[in-house]
Amino acid sequence: MAIELFWGSGSPYSWRVQLALEYKRLAYESRVLQFSKQEHKSPQMLRMNPRGRVPVLKDGDFVVFESLACLLYLDRKYPSADLRPYARGSRHDHAGDLRVPGLCEAS
């Protein structure tokens, strides 16, 4: 089953997930939504994300939305290229520290 990423042009939150998919070298299908046509508010999208926002990541039957939740899911399901700046299991290993190195600022 292929990973699908539903996103919209101009959304930095979507870019974050796209960058993580590319960084991890995961194959995915890009589904660009037209904000001007309100495609992100369509019944299909609202079933996946009741908030009607992007990004939405669909992996088989599993759906996750919100960019940081998508990053956490990708990092746990596909650990080949770690998104965390610290080694797994170290005292610095926190889910809140997820970011693509050099691409997303830490808070």
Side-chain angles (χ1 to χ4, degrees), residues 1-6 29 44 47-49 56-65 73 77-78:
M1 291 184 264
I3 297 172
E4 294 177 85
L5 176 63
F6 297 85
E29 295 179 28
Q44 174 197 8
R47 279 192 297 277
M48 290 190 285
N49 181 356
V56 174
L57 184 76
K58 185 174 183 200
D59 190 5
D61 292 331
F62 189 79
V63 175
V64 63
F65 52 90
Y73 170 78
K77 175 105 188 242
Y78 305 99

Side-chain angles (χ1 to χ4, degrees), residues 5-101:
L5 176 63
F6 297 85
W7 63 285
S9 180
S11 166
Y13 304 106
S14 295
W15 297 339
R16 180 185 286 169
V17 179
Q18 284 178 303
L19 289 169
L21 287 164
E22 294 293 332
Y23 179 77
K24 289 181 156 294
R25 296 187 174 146
L26 297 172
Y28 66 98
E29 295 179 28
S30 176
R31 307 283 190 217
V32 182
L33 305 176
Q34 299 292 319
F35 293 133
S36 62
K37 295 180 181 177
Q38 296 290 302
E39 290 177 342
H40 59 299
K41 303 281 187 184
S42 70
Q44 174 197 8
M45 290 304 300
L46 291 174
R47 279 192 297 277
M48 290 190 285
N49 181 356
R51 296 181 65 199
R53 296 187 179 177
V54 293
V56 174
L57 184 76
K58 185 174 183 200
D59 190 5
D61 292 331
F62 189 79
V63 175
V64 63
F65 52 90
E66 298 295 330
S67 64
L68 291 177
C70 292
L71 294 183
L72 181 60
Y73 170 78
L74 289 171
D75 210 39
R76 288 186 175 169
K77 175 105 188 242
Y78 305 99
S80 59
D82 204 341
L83 296 177
R84 295 177 232 202
Y86 304 106
R88 291 181 191 276
S90 76
R91 65 186 182 98
H92 300 290
D93 184 17
H94 303 287
D97 286 340
L98 277 176
R99 58 187 167 274
V100 178

